[in-house]
Amino acid sequence: MALKKVKGSLERVFDKNLHDLVRGIRNHKDDEAKFIAQCIDEIKQELRQDNIAVKANAVAKLTYLQMLGYDISWAAFNVIEVMSSNKFTFKRIGYLAASQSFHEETEVLMLTTNMIRKDLSSQNQYDAAIALNGLSCFMTPDLARDLANDVMTLMTSTRPYIRKRAVLIMYKIFLKFPEALRPAFPRLKEKLEDPDPGVQSAAVNVICELARKNPKNYLSLAPVFFKLMTSSTNNWVLIKIIKLFGALTPLEPRLGKKLIEPLTNLIHSTSAMSLLYECINTVIAGMPNHNASIQLCVQKLRILIEDSDQNYEGTFQESHASDGQAQQSLVSDGSPSSQQSASMKYLGLLAMSKILKTHPKSVQAHKDLILQCLDDKDESIRLRALDLLYGMVSKKNLMEIVRKLMVHMDKAEGSMYRDELLSKIVQICSQNNYQYITNFEWYVSVLVELTRVEGTRHGSVIASQMLDVAIRVKAIRAFAVEQMAQLLENSHTVASSAQRNGICEVLYAAAWIAGEFSEHLRDPRGTLDDMLRQKVTSLPGHIQAVFVQNIMKLYAAILVKYEEDEDNDGIREVSDLLVEKLPMFVQSGDLEVQERACCILQLMKYVKKLQDKDVSCADEVAALFAGELNPVAPKAQRKVAVPEGLDLDKWINDPPSDSSDDEGPANSLFIPDDSRMMNESMTRPVVEELSDDELERRREARRAETQNNPHYLKLGASAKGSKYQEVVNVEDIPVANIDLSVPLYVPGTKRLSDKYLEAERQARKRDKKRRHGKKSKRRHKSESEEDVPVVHKVDIMGGEMPEGATESGDEGNLELDDNDPHKLLDIDLDRPLDADEKLPVRTHRIVSPSSEDRPVEEKKKHHRKDKEKEKKRKEKEKKKSKKEKKRNKSGDDSAHPSLLIATELMSPGHEAIPSPGEEEEVAPPSALVKKDTTPKKEEPKDDLDFWLSGQDAPVAVEVTAPEPGAAADVDSDAEDTSRHKKKKEKKAKKEKKEKKEKKEKKKKSKVADDEDVDSGRRDGFEELDSDGPPPPPMSSYRLLAEDSNIKMTYETRVQSQQGQQLIVSVIFTSLAEQHLKSLEFNVMDSLNTKMDRLPGATTHDGVPVPFQLPPNSFNEGQFAFQVQSINVAQKLRGTLTYTIKTEESSTSEKLDFKLYLPCTAFLIATPCSSDAFARLLQGGELSSKYSIKLSSGGAPFSHVLAKVCFYGHFAIVEQIDQSASLYSCSTQGHHICLLVKANGGGDVSIDGKCADGSLLSNVMEEIKVTAS
């Protein structure tokens, strides 16, 4: 054994360690791959040895190789061996290798569960810490499920070193095993008040990360975080908390008011710019209407942006990585202070852009600062300043801002930034349908000036703006056509950039505008000559195609003019010109250009033949292009209805066969294969190898060309072969005359658009003097946007849509991605834990002996224990029943109406509510009140409301509950209150008896309705108190449509047995003096609602009404509809066609109508006992809530309640004084519970609960309309 140890030690001496591996890789740069392959072979030999130290050394080397990109998954089992070592240094190497190489699909991870559990329970805190660190890197759903309970146990460790890591790793467990969130959350919440600041900071980080995607679930923690924010001195903890409040304040507006004071104190006092930025962000998000705070934020942001030379405290960028853009803006010197100041400036501009959305005037006052940022060295800051300028534009400053941007663009370096400037100028001017442009001549001049920008890739953007302005602003067309004619005249300067999306794209717009609106051209013949130049053929194909088309439009306009002037020579000359020039387009390589040119050339030849015969054909040619083209709406294509019988997924031709027998060599359609190959070889760049003689010959030719070219500067004999040492004499430079067809544009000279800016300034000065001259007692208001005169108006056209298309809203809503793990963490944390919501605990299976194998004495012992337990249970039940009886006697009536509110404080256990027709024995209603008065811990939401309200003590709504610290028994309190209220109880009993007798008399006098549906709906308001004035008359019939001949009213009926069927009963009343016959009732089907028709009928066929209407008579018809979803009210279009029969003739008439099917039409007023109603509310199934307020208008509460029951189809569960509980069930099984309560001031509040939030909100809004 000793020899074996010595041998192992000697082997370790000669083994290569990690340092040797790194040194060897550096020394073998030429054959690095070969050396590493040799090292991997040696490592494999080392892993086969039994010595754990050798294995650990091998795994350490493998870890380094994995960092270099080599796969070490083959050694996963050896890594686990090293992880299981008892020695900490080896264990650390194993966990490091596992954290780098293991992933969710590593198969051997299932072997690590017990080993990690053993390390987590180790007495050595460093073993547990290293296990937690490694586990965070290779967490899987199985490991999270199996180890969640062990990690949660470590959260209560006595050592903060372990607690902190356990809290942090819980976040990874929640992501992989979301079911652990609810059981572990109470303990995680406790860690927010941990005495150790490190553990507290870890808990804040975990909760903030959880709340980043689902903030509404953590709203109840607002009081705890508020306490932390006002007491903590750790800037990083404050940053996290304030970021969390920034996400919570939009969900709870009252929270913003609570945060104003501490946030403003932090903004005034903190020197940490990172914390200042987060405070400003939260103010912007949660308190947008608090003007004082917003002004303070803007002032601080200006200081932050201006004070760029100050050195701020370190490590700032980490907290803002979520802003989605490059936070670390690098400048030229690269020093940390300069990088930090650039980051501050960037974040200040980013925060200002957020304020700009809600308070534009506050930011517009700092326009000078934003314009200064355009000269910053950092491009990201310049781009952010451009985004700010976009929102600061108004009618007054638009021209000034655009002029400064254009001057800045002349000085800008880098084509990318210059392109961004150009696109931003276009966006600023065109935003909101050119909202801020008052003079479109100025804008067209700006667009023309932008065509001079060299190397831009936004030519298509400028072209689209030119087209849009010329089409939509009719008053500007003459000026636009004039400018486009100048562009076409100087097209050779623009056509030099022939790349796609280059500045040559503006010629596309210029040619189209000049051709489409040719009547505004001063010299159409000159423009035609410009469009027929040879240089045009070098343009891209799509531009040439537009040129060819608009050449013909120009020709038609010229032809009409010449025929009016009877200029036959001009007609022949123009026709000959086109016949001569068009063949150059026929030879184009673009198929579209070829086709258009061929067609127009043939048309010209035909026109020329007619002209030779002295036949005038100008009107016929002009008729080819008559009429204006309207723009097409952006969504027009998706709105096109698919015709019936068209299957878009069906093959047009037979699908190709899978066999390769029919496959042959694919021949080219136009060019033979040989020529195609030749062309391909010609287009490939050929690198020619030149000899020395050839190179020298080319050098001599280049020298001779330089010598003879007057544009090159030549050196004297003394300067040859040496660098410039003397200043070249300017007089010796030859002057060459350059023939420029257009004036040379020099940056900084006066632009065409500047005259409009000067004119506007002069007009503003005159207006200011005129206003200043007028004396009035009242102070003048500041100039508004309406003071700026609008020269040209924009025609806002939505674009043409296909027939039958309807406008729709925005499609799709922003939701979490299905693969996002945070989507599974959207869990209600305020709901109490259910019995099955427990973390899995690893237990041993205990096999107990059967009852036959037990000794007799043990059986007797157990039997005795069971008897004692049974006795105790019976005694408890007796005491409980006595207390309940006492409570029934002493129960105050005011506790009954609070069914909806009190159940929020009940225990989660419940029984299923029976169906409406099922009979059962239920407990008295007083049992409900007893549960309410038991000392229970209030829900977090109630704590939040109390905290936000700022009251001294929590007040439950109509529920008497003991104080939190009271130790007295609830039952004794109830007995005391019963003694003081005996007299009141006697009166209440008498009143109840009288009410019951009156109700019975009323029920006996009423005649039962034949239809079950109507009887169900009337049950709701028959239980109303008969005291007081009778309710106003109500009718369930609504007006459907009416004309001079017929009137239609309707009501809806449903049956609980048929959940998807709705019956519409229509009463047809004749108003005519003639017979009405052949009535046909038709309603257009929707995706949700379809009308039942006769067999074989289509959706366009109506349902014949089975009767005729004599004069001044009425009759009733019923129509059935099938409804899929009842969550949303339906509005269906329909038509009634009928024939009026007279003695002489008969005429057909049509009456259009809209059939409104509210959500309340699908409710049935179902009787429900108070106990069943309470259990339904208690169960937690009715998760959605909705509240409304009604104005009674002076009517008594009973009248409002009668309207709610009648129109909403609700049954009264229980009514006490000025409050009542109502219940209804939909045809599809939705339970809806309401609490109607009269408030002071003549208002009535209605609180509702339902499992379906959409149905509940729609029902409540319908009740609000009908019952008001």
Side-chain angles (χ1 to χ4, degrees):
M1 191 69 183
L3 288 174
K4 192 172 182 181
K5 286 184 178 180
V6 171
K7 185 181 177 184
S9 301
L10 289 173
E11 287 176 349
R12 289 180 57 194
V13 169
F14 294 106
D15 282 343
K16 292 180 183 176
N17 56 18
L18 181 59
H19 296 284
D20 298 329
L21 176 66
V22 175
R23 192 181 300 112
I25 291 174
R26 291 176 178 173
N27 294 334
H28 292 80
K29 291 193 174 180
D30 295 335
D31 54 346
E32 181 180 317
K34 183 179 178 182
F35 177 76
I36 290 177
Q38 182 183 351
C39 291
I40 290 176
D41 291 338
E42 294 175 359
I43 290 171
K44 288 181 178 178
Q45 295 295 329
E46 293 172 0
L47 290 174
R48 293 192 184 99
Q49 298 184 20
D50 296 333
N51 194 331
I52 191 66
V54 176
K55 287 185 178 181
N57 182 42
V59 169
K61 292 187 285 184
L62 281 177
T63 305
Y64 180 75
L65 293 177
Q66 196 270 343
M67 293 179 186
L68 298 180
Y70 290 89
D71 180 31
I72 64 168
S73 58
W74 50 271
F77 190 81
N78 305 107
V79 171
I80 293 178
E81 284 184 299
V82 177
M83 288 167 64
S84 62
S85 172
N86 293 325
K87 197 170 182 181
F88 175 75
T89 54
F90 299 156
K91 185 185 292 289
R92 182 173 59 184
I93 292 172
Y95 272 104
L96 174 63
S99 63
Q100 290 197 180
S101 61
F102 286 4
H103 50 84
E104 195 168 333
E105 297 178 358
T106 303
E107 295 179 354
V108 297
L109 270 177
M110 64 178 69
L111 305 175
T112 62
T113 306
N114 289 327
M115 180 191 67
I116 296 173
R117 182 179 282 118
K118 178 184 173 185
D119 289 338
L120 292 178
S121 58
S122 173
Q123 296 300 318
N124 186 352
Q125 66 175 359
Y126 299 108
D127 285 350
I130 202 170
L132 289 170
N133 291 345
L135 183 61
S136 65
C137 298
F138 51 80
M139 181 72 71
T140 65
D142 292 336
L143 285 175
R145 183 190 65 244
D146 296 336
L147 299 175
N149 197 60
D150 300 271
V151 175
M152 200 166 76
T153 305
L154 291 179
M155 290 171 67
T156 58
S157 172
T158 56
R159 289 169 286 198
Y161 183 79
I162 299 297
R163 291 203 307 273
K164 178 173 65 176
R165 283 165 172 77
V167 168
L168 288 173
I169 201 174
M170 286 306 294
Y171 176 68
K172 290 294 185 76
I173 291 176
F174 296 152
L175 290 180
K176 297 295 182 181
F177 184 55
E179 290 82 357
L181 178 57
R182 278 174 52 76
F185 189 72
R187 192 166 292 180
L188 180 64
K189 186 178 174 182
E190 291 172 5
K191 298 299 119 182
L192 290 173
E193 300 176 359
D194 194 276
D196 185 78
V199 178
Q200 196 179 65
S201 176
V204 168
N205 275 278
V206 170
I207 293 178
C208 287
E209 282 301 310
L210 290 171
R212 190 163 55 91
K213 294 290 182 71
N214 305 303
K216 66 179 184 300
N217 298 331
Y218 302 89
L219 194 58
S220 59
L221 294 180
V224 181
F225 280 113
F226 185 83
K227 181 182 175 183
L228 279 175
M229 186 180 73
T230 52
S231 60
S232 177
T233 57
N234 187 335
N235 278 352
W236 296 116
V237 173
L238 287 174
I239 286 172
K240 287 286 184 181
I241 293 173
I242 291 170
K243 283 180 103 169
L244 176 60
F245 276 132
L248 294 180
T249 44
L251 303 175
E252 177 53 76
R254 293 176 295 172
L255 187 58
K257 298 176 183 177
K258 196 87 174 177
L259 293 172
I260 285 175
E261 184 180 352
L263 284 179
T264 49
N265 291 339
L266 279 174
I267 290 172
H268 279 296
S269 60
T270 184
S271 60
M273 291 299 135
S274 52
L275 182 58
L276 173 64
Y277 175 76
E278 288 303 337
C279 291
I280 292 171
N281 254 348
T282 304
V283 169
I284 296 167
M287 292 159 276
N289 298 323
H290 199 267
N291 293 325
S293 301
I294 294 293
Q295 292 294 338
L296 174 64
C297 292
V298 174
Q299 292 170 8
K300 287 288 183 179
L301 287 174
R302 184 178 180 100
I303 295 171
L304 188 146
I305 294 170
E306 286 180 335
D307 197 9
S308 57
D309 297 329
Q310 183 180 352
N311 292 327
Y312 301 105
E313 59 177 356
T315 61
F316 172 77
Q317 286 81 8
E318 182 269 333
S319 67
H320 307 293
S322 63
D323 282 329
Q325 298 227 6
Q327 304 283 330
Q328 296 180 350
S329 306
L330 302 178
V331 288
S332 56
D333 56 356
S335 63
S337 61
S338 62
Q339 293 177 19
Q340 205 169 47
S341 63
S343 299
M344 293 296 161
K345 188 178 287 189
Y346 180 91
L347 291 171
L349 294 172
L350 186 66
M352 270 200 173
S353 64
K354 294 178 181 178
I355 298 177
L356 185 67
K357 297 175 183 176
T358 55
H359 293 74
K361 290 186 179 179
S362 301
V363 181
Q364 284 173 2
H366 305 277
K367 184 179 65 177
D368 57 333
L369 179 66
I370 308 303
L371 290 171
Q372 286 176 13
C373 293
L374 292 175
D375 298 323
D376 197 275
K377 297 177 182 179
D378 196 322
E379 187 172 336
S380 63
I381 292 175
R382 297 199 300 266
L383 294 176
R384 180 54 64 188
L386 279 177
D387 292 337
L388 262 176
L389 284 175
Y390 176 83
M392 295 171 63
V393 169
S394 65
K395 288 182 180 179
K396 294 178 187 176
N397 61 15
L398 173 65
M399 291 186 181
E400 184 182 352
I401 287 178
V402 170
R403 183 180 179 279
K404 289 184 178 179
L405 289 178
M406 293 184 72
V407 171
H408 184 71
M409 187 165 55
D410 293 338
K411 301 182 293 182
E413 297 179 358
S415 58
M416 182 179 175
Y417 177 60
R418 197 160 49 240
D419 282 351
E420 187 65 28
L421 269 172
L422 190 150
S423 67
K424 193 60 67 176
I425 289 172
V426 173
Q427 288 177 23
I428 285 172
C429 295
S430 62
Q431 60 178 314
N432 298 331
N433 285 322
Y434 311 102
Q435 178 183 358
Y436 303 113
I437 295 180
T438 57
N439 192 328
F440 277 91
E441 288 187 8
W442 166 82
Y443 185 44
V444 173
S445 304
V446 169
L447 292 175
V448 172
E449 288 169 14
L450 290 177
T451 61
R452 300 171 184 166
V453 179
E454 295 179 2
T456 182
R457 306 286 294 177
H458 288 307
S460 57
V461 175
I462 301 173
S464 65
Q465 284 295 293
M466 288 176 172
L467 289 168
D468 196 39
V469 170
I471 292 170
R472 297 173 64 181
V473 188
K474 294 180 181 179
I476 202 67
R477 285 179 183 173
F479 182 79
V481 168
E482 179 186 347
Q483 295 296 314
M484 297 305 107
Q486 292 182 13
L487 268 180
L488 291 171
E489 185 180 353
N490 305 320
S491 60
H492 56 280
T493 60
V494 180
S496 58
S497 174
Q499 74 268 21
R500 191 79 176 178
N501 290 330
I503 202 63
C504 66
E505 294 286 336
V506 298
L507 295 177
Y508 179 101
W512 192 90
I513 292 170
E516 185 69 20
F517 309 116
S518 56
E519 65 271 13
H520 300 292
L521 281 172
R522 293 181 182 176
D523 183 16
R525 175 60 192 276
T527 305
L528 181 64
D529 292 336
D530 295 334
M531 295 175 70
L532 287 169
R533 289 178 183 169
Q534 185 69 31
K535 187 86 173 176
V536 175
T537 56
S538 63
L539 294 171
H542 66 287
I543 301 178
Q544 291 186 49
V546 174
F547 265 71
V548 172
Q549 189 76 11
N550 288 276
I551 283 169
M552 195 61 191
K553 293 180 186 178
L554 274 178
Y555 172 74
I558 295 169
L559 197 60
V560 171
K561 183 180 178 183
Y562 282 173
E563 283 195 1
E564 288 176 357
D565 298 341
E566 296 182 357
D567 187 358
N568 295 328
D569 294 336
I571 291 173
R572 291 193 194 92
E573 185 182 347
V574 174
S575 301
D576 292 340
L577 179 65
L578 257 67
V579 173
E580 179 187 351
K581 294 288 187 179
L582 280 175
M584 66 180 179
F585 294 107
V586 176
Q587 299 169 2
S588 172
D590 191 277
L591 289 179
E592 181 71 17
V593 179
Q594 281 184 31
E595 184 177 5
R596 292 193 185 195
C598 288
C599 293
I600 291 175
L601 184 59
Q602 294 302 319
L603 180 63
M604 283 303 307
K605 289 178 180 178
Y606 180 72
V607 169
K608 201 166 183 311
K609 286 180 183 179
L610 294 177
Q611 289 172 353
D612 292 339
K613 297 176 183 179
D614 294 332
V615 177
S616 62
C617 54
D619 294 336
E620 287 78 2
V621 175
L624 295 173
F625 308 104
E628 287 192 9
L629 298 175
N630 293 327
V632 180
K635 295 182 181 180
Q637 183 63 39
R638 72 179 73 172
K639 299 291 183 183
V640 176
V642 179
E644 285 189 28
L646 176 62
D647 186 4
L648 296 176
D649 297 326
K650 186 180 178 182
W651 285 84
I652 298 174
N653 301 315
D654 294 334
S657 59
D658 297 333
S659 62
S660 59
D661 299 337
D662 300 334
E663 293 179 3
N667 296 326
S668 177
L669 186 59
F670 297 107
I671 308 172
D673 290 344
D674 298 337
S675 60
R676 180 169 57 84
M677 295 299 293
M678 182 180 67
N679 290 339
E680 287 180 1
S681 63
M682 288 173 65
T683 55
R684 291 174 189 159
V686 179
V687 180
E688 183 182 359
E689 295 183 2
L690 302 176
S691 61
D692 294 340
D693 296 338
E694 181 66 21
L695 286 173
E696 187 62 30
R697 187 180 64 78
R698 291 192 179 187
R699 286 196 196 100
E700 289 297 331
R702 190 161 55 251
R703 288 194 199 101
E705 182 184 357
T706 305
Q707 189 69 25
N708 297 327
N709 195 333
H711 304 298
Y712 279 91
L713 301 180
K714 303 173 184 59
L715 301 176
S718 61
K720 290 182 181 179
S722 64
K723 295 183 179 179
Y724 289 103
Q725 296 177 355
E726 298 178 0
V727 177
V728 179
N729 190 4
V730 180
E731 299 295 332
D732 298 337
I733 301 174
V735 179
N737 293 325
I738 304 174
D739 184 19
L740 289 177
S741 56
V742 291
L744 186 65
Y745 172 68
V746 181
T749 58
K750 192 113 173 174
R751 292 181 170 86
L752 180 62
S753 59
D754 289 349
K755 68 176 184 180
Y756 299 102
L757 180 60
E758 292 296 331
E760 186 182 355
R761 285 176 179 170
Q762 294 296 330
R764 202 174 296 167
K765 284 181 182 178
R766 288 194 300 269
D767 190 45
K768 194 173 182 182
K769 287 180 181 178
R770 180 175 56 82
R771 290 190 178 194
H772 187 67
K774 292 182 180 180
K775 295 180 179 180
S776 65
K777 294 181 181 179
R778 290 181 299 177
R779 294 181 63 185
H780 289 294
K781 293 181 180 178
S782 60
E783 293 184 53
S784 61
E785 296 291 332
E786 287 72 16
D787 297 335
V788 182
V790 178
V791 182
H792 308 107
K793 292 186 178 180
V794 187
D795 293 339
I796 300 175
M797 293 183 281
E800 289 189 348
M801 298 284 286
E803 293 183 4
T806 56
E807 290 293 334
S808 60
D810 297 336
E811 296 174 3
N813 18 349
L814 296 174
E815 292 182 354
L816 292 179
D817 184 13
D818 292 337
N819 298 324
D820 193 341
H822 294 86
K823 188 169 185 178
L824 300 175
L825 291 174
D826 189 2
I827 301 170
D828 183 11
L829 300 173
D830 297 334
R831 182 168 57 85
L833 288 174
D834 296 335
D836 58 341
E837 286 187 305
K838 293 180 181 178
L839 291 176
V841 183
R842 185 168 171 265
T843 56
H844 293 285
R845 181 168 170 266
I846 300 173
V847 181
S848 58
S850 60
S851 58
E852 288 85 1
D853 300 334
R854 291 179 184 173
V856 180
E857 291 179 5
E858 192 177 346
K859 284 185 182 180
K860 287 181 180 178
K861 216 181 269 184
H862 279 279
H863 187 62
R864 215 175 293 127
K865 284 181 181 178
D866 292 342
K867 277 189 175 181
E868 289 173 2
K869 285 181 181 178
E870 188 67 23
K871 267 187 181 180
K872 287 179 181 179
R873 190 176 62 80
K874 286 181 179 179
E875 286 173 4
K876 282 182 181 178
E877 284 181 357
K878 284 181 182 178
K879 288 179 182 178
K880 198 174 182 182
S881 60
K882 287 179 182 178
K883 289 176 183 177
E884 284 179 1
K885 288 177 182 177
K886 291 176 183 178
R887 183 64 46 80
N888 292 342
K889 293 178 182 178
S890 61
D892 192 4
D893 290 340
S894 62
H896 291 279
S898 58
L899 288 174
L900 280 172
I901 303 162
T903 48
E904 294 179 4
L905 306 175
M906 291 181 183
S907 62
H910 68 281
E911 295 176 10
I913 188 166
S915 59
E918 189 178 347
E919 294 182 359
E920 64 164 5
E921 294 181 2
V922 292
S926 56
L928 179 65
V929 182
K930 177 183 180 302
K931 289 183 181 178
D932 293 343
T933 54
T934 54
K936 289 273 182 179
K937 190 177 180 181
E938 289 184 344
E939 284 194 3
K941 191 169 184 182
D942 297 333
D943 294 341
L944 177 66
D945 292 337
F946 160 63
W947 178 69
L948 291 172
S949 64
Q951 296 175 359
D952 295 333
V955 180
V957 184
E958 299 197 18
V959 179
T960 55
E963 295 182 1
D969 190 29
V970 183
D971 299 319
S972 61
D973 293 342
E975 290 175 14
D976 294 337
T977 54
S978 65
R979 292 168 189 167
H980 295 292
K981 297 179 181 179
K982 282 183 180 179
K983 294 180 180 179
K984 292 183 179 179
E985 287 300 318
K986 289 180 181 178
K987 289 182 181 179
K989 284 181 181 179
K990 286 181 180 179
E991 289 175 0
K992 280 186 179 181
K993 285 181 181 179
E994 290 173 0
K995 287 177 184 178
K996 284 182 180 179
E997 290 173 0
K998 289 177 182 178
K999 286 175 189 175
E1000 288 174 2
K1001 290 178 182 178
K1002 243 188 174 184
K1003 287 180 182 178
K1004 289 177 183 178
S1005 63
K1006 287 190 179 181
V1007 181
D1009 199 332
D1010 294 334
E1011 295 182 13
D1012 296 335
V1013 179
D1014 294 337
S1015 64
R1017 290 183 173 178
R1018 287 173 174 78
D1019 285 341
F1021 56 92
E1022 281 177 1
E1023 297 178 11
L1024 294 172
D1025 293 342
S1026 59
D1027 299 338
M1034 292 175 284
S1035 174
S1036 58
Y1037 279 88
R1038 305 184 183 193
L1039 178 64
L1040 183 58
E1042 183 179 9
D1043 63 5
S1044 58
N1045 299 318
I1046 193 169
K1047 176 182 177 182
M1048 293 188 294
T1049 55
Y1050 76 103
E1051 76 164 356
T1052 57
R1053 300 172 186 171
V1054 290
Q1055 293 183 359
S1056 58
Q1057 295 85 2
Q1058 297 182 351
Q1060 293 187 340
Q1061 189 181 63
L1062 174 78
I1063 305 297
V1064 177
S1065 177
V1066 182
I1067 295 179
F1068 300 87
T1069 305
S1070 173
L1071 306 176
E1073 299 296 331
Q1074 298 86 14
H1075 268 75
L1076 303 182
K1077 65 174 187 175
S1078 302
L1079 280 77
E1080 191 170 289
F1081 187 89
N1082 188 20
V1083 176
M1084 292 178 63
D1085 291 348
S1086 66
L1087 294 175
N1088 187 52
T1089 308
K1090 299 183 187 306
M1091 183 179 180
D1092 289 348
R1093 293 178 171 82
L1094 297 175
T1098 64
T1099 55
H1100 302 288
D1101 297 332
V1103 176
V1105 179
F1107 51 78
Q1108 296 182 4
L1109 286 177
N1112 301 318
S1113 65
F1114 65 91
N1115 207 334
E1116 184 177 8
Q1118 294 186 352
F1119 307 91
F1121 292 80
Q1122 298 297 325
V1123 183
Q1124 299 296 326
S1125 175
I1126 64 173
N1127 295 353
V1128 183
Q1130 305 290 321
K1131 283 188 178 179
L1132 307 175
R1133 291 184 179 180
T1135 306
L1136 175 72
T1137 57
Y1138 58 94
T1139 304
I1140 303 176
K1141 185 180 179 183
T1142 60
E1143 296 178 358
E1144 294 82 20
S1145 62
S1146 57
T1147 57
S1148 296
E1149 296 288 340
K1150 183 175 78 169
L1151 177 60
D1152 295 328
F1153 59 87
K1154 286 185 179 179
L1155 179 62
Y1156 177 64
L1157 304 179
C1159 292
T1160 51
F1162 304 95
L1163 302 184
I1164 301 174
T1166 309
C1168 179
S1169 65
S1170 59
D1171 287 0
F1173 184 81
R1175 282 198 302 276
L1176 179 63
L1177 293 170
Q1178 179 186 354
E1181 298 169 358
L1182 310 184
S1183 56
S1184 299
K1185 300 179 182 179
Y1186 199 90
S1187 300
I1188 59 173
K1189 279 190 177 181
L1190 304 177
S1191 176
S1192 62
F1197 175 76
S1198 59
H1199 291 187
V1200 178
L1201 188 60
K1203 285 184 180 180
V1204 173
C1205 293
F1206 183 86
Y1207 293 114
H1209 308 146
F1210 280 84
I1212 294 178
V1213 179
E1214 191 169 4
Q1215 179 187 358
I1216 297 175
D1217 295 334
Q1218 297 294 305
S1219 59
S1221 301
L1222 310 182
Y1223 172 78
S1224 183
C1225 183
S1226 74
T1227 56
Q1228 296 184 1
H1230 301 95
H1231 302 286
I1232 302 180
C1233 302
L1234 301 183
L1235 174 65
V1236 185
K1237 190 175 177 182
N1239 302 326
D1243 292 335
V1244 176
S1245 64
I1246 303 179
D1247 300 323
K1249 276 191 173 184
C1250 181
D1252 192 327
S1254 175
L1255 176 63
L1256 178 64
S1257 61
N1258 288 325
V1259 167
M1260 296 286 277
E1261 291 299 327
E1262 289 170 13
I1263 291 174
K1264 188 175 182 180
V1265 173
T1266 55
S1268 295

